[in-house]
Amino acid sequence: MTARLADIAAQAGVSEATVSRVLNGKPGVAAATRESVLAALDVLGYERPVRLRQRSAGLVGLITPELENPIFPALAQVIGQALTRQGYTPVLATQTPGGSTEDELTEMLVDRGVAGIIFVSGLHADTSADMQRYDQLRGQGVPFVLVDGFSPKVRAPFISPDDRAAMLLAVTHLVSLGHSRIGLALGPKRFVPVLRKIEGFQRGMREQLGLTARQSEELIQHSLYTLEGGQAAATALIERGCTAIICASDMMALGAIRAARQQGLAVPRDISVVGFDDSPLIAFTDPPLTTIRKPVQPMGQAAVRALLEEIGGTPAPHSEFVFLPELVVRGSTASAQRSAPGGEPNASGGAPEDGPTRRADTPPKSGRSDEDRTSG
């Protein structure tokens, strides 16, 4: 073993200690040095350890949290198509309740010699998670890209939608329709996209309606990113007098519509609902859902480009690439008709034909109109 280490070190022009670190998958070795050691192994005819064998099979791992939410299959399709066009084969690894964890799926993909991994809405988005797992992965020489979520502790390219801008678009749209009691239904607070949506929502409520952070905090309800979660959150927000609800996913928005109907309210006559994602087929719901379109196509293509640059040895900047969302207005939002669900109508007995009267002291600020949509 000592003689072999010496031969490899001499061939690669590095120390035996460095060779040992590479062979054992230890971090702290530059990518170029690691490649020199692996090349030396090949030149001298030594067989690489399983985890360090040539990643030339063209496999790229894609880890998603689940597939029930239509936005994840849509993103997987974009990424898969982009990889295929570049000669790579995508390997989809999905977490399931009671099934494999992200770490287990990562280990499985690494053992199969994937050229790189794209993580979608993974632990990198969880502020309570240990980010050292990604340092260990980089130490094994596996390139990776992270989608939806950001951590300054991880050196990698990040791909994200502008969650703050998305909430500003939604609030501006609803305020323009005369709504002043607007609720926000979203997932657990520990996730980065959730925190950013809250920031955007509170900024919109402050700029458009003059609400303080504490006042808008009362209009925020955390739940799960499911239809049932949206239903539970919307039920709570309707009880607080909201006439419009912004949901952090289209699935939650469908749950909000169900909650409204269970209370005898019509959407959008009595309460308006806005989703997030613009998932496939969401335009054909009843009513067709007004939503914030997530820039899935450019995000997926950017994730693949960044990963291929990592694989090719010319990595993209280890920073966040943010893509602008788009407001898509359909049939689930309309002018506010009364002061609150189940409350008294306005002084004229209902909304005037031209729409409800806005608060004179806090007119909505100019923002993107429905026609002036910005795509990422």
Side-chain angles (χ1 to χ4, degrees):
M1 173 63 73
T2 302
R4 185 169 66 176
L5 286 178
D7 291 342
I8 297 170
Q11 178 67 33
V14 298
S15 68
E16 292 183 28
T18 298
V19 173
S20 178
R21 294 185 68 82
V22 172
L23 295 180
N24 289 288
K26 300 294 184 181
V29 180
T33 302
R34 185 179 303 278
E35 288 302 318
S36 296
V37 172
L38 296 178
L41 280 173
D42 298 336
V43 169
L44 296 173
Y46 292 122
E47 185 178 355
R48 296 188 183 191
V50 174
R51 69 173 60 191
L52 297 177
R53 287 176 185 168
Q54 185 69 33
R55 304 179 189 278
S56 59
L59 300 178
V60 169
L62 173 61
I63 300 180
T64 64
E66 43 105 349
L67 292 177
E68 291 184 3
N69 187 332
I71 199 64
F72 291 124
L75 187 56
Q77 183 175 17
V78 171
I79 291 174
Q81 290 174 342
L83 286 170
T84 300
R85 285 194 295 269
Q86 297 297 323
Y88 289 86
T89 301
V91 179
L92 181 61
T94 304
Q95 302 176 59
T96 55
S100 299
T101 65
E102 178 181 313
D103 289 339
E104 291 170 341
L105 293 174
T106 300
E107 183 178 0
M108 178 270 291
L109 291 170
V110 171
D111 287 344
R112 281 158 177 75
V114 293
I117 301 176
I118 297 176
F119 295 87
V120 177
S121 298
L123 291 171
H124 62 278
D126 188 341
T127 58
S128 66
D130 183 3
M131 298 299 156
Q132 191 173 7
R133 55 176 43 88
Y134 299 109
D135 291 334
Q136 294 173 348
L137 183 60
R138 181 167 294 282
Q140 293 175 296
V142 181
F144 60 91
V145 173
L146 305 164
V147 180
D148 269 347
F150 175 77
S151 173
K153 299 177 182 178
V154 181
R155 290 179 56 252
F158 288 85
I159 310 294
S160 304
D162 193 331
D163 291 296
R164 299 182 184 92
M167 294 301 100
L168 285 172
L169 284 172
V171 170
T172 299
H173 170 62
L174 292 170
V175 171
S176 73
L177 293 174
H179 295 279
S180 59
R181 190 74 175 169
I182 302 170
L184 175 62
L186 71 181
K189 195 172 183 178
R190 69 179 187 274
F191 294 105
V192 172
V194 171
L195 294 172
R196 290 177 170 181
K197 285 183 175 71
I198 291 174
E199 290 176 16
F201 176 76
Q202 291 185 323
R203 176 185 168 186
M205 297 295 277
R206 181 181 69 251
E207 294 180 351
Q208 301 285 340
L209 297 170
L211 270 62
T212 64
R214 173 171 291 185
Q215 289 172 322
S216 59
E217 186 73 31
E218 298 173 356
L219 302 173
I220 298 172
Q221 183 66 41
H222 295 277
S223 187
L224 299 176
Y225 282 110
T226 61
L227 190 149
E228 293 77 15
Q231 182 178 350
T235 298
L237 292 170
I238 291 172
E239 290 175 354
R240 296 173 201 168
C242 291
T243 64
I245 299 175
I246 303 169
C247 299
S249 76
D250 290 337
M251 294 292 287
M252 294 187 78
L254 295 180
I257 293 174
R258 176 195 282 181
R261 287 173 174 167
Q262 285 187 339
Q263 298 192 36
L265 302 174
V267 177
R269 186 193 68 199
D270 301 316
I271 187 164
S272 290
V273 176
V274 178
F276 184 92
D277 284 335
D278 196 26
S279 311
L281 303 180
I282 209 67
F284 305 100
T285 58
D286 180 24
L289 187 66
T290 294
T291 188
I292 301 296
R293 177 175 293 161
K294 191 172 186 175
V296 170
Q297 191 80 22
M299 284 179 59
Q301 292 173 345
V304 171
R305 283 197 302 271
L307 183 66
L308 295 184
E309 288 173 353
E310 292 276 320
I311 293 172
T314 56
H318 289 165
S319 59
E320 186 176 28
F321 301 88
V322 180
F323 293 79
L324 290 176
E326 177 185 1
L327 174 67
V328 182
V329 179
R330 298 193 181 104
S332 65
T333 52
S335 298
Q337 295 296 309
R338 46 186 172 175
S339 58
E344 294 298 324
N346 60 29
S348 62
E353 292 183 3
D354 293 334
T357 304
R358 300 193 184 99
R359 288 172 48 183
D361 56 332
T362 55
K365 293 187 178 180
S366 60
R368 298 180 179 88
S369 67
D370 296 345
E371 295 78 18
D372 183 21
R373 297 170 183 166
T374 304
S375 177

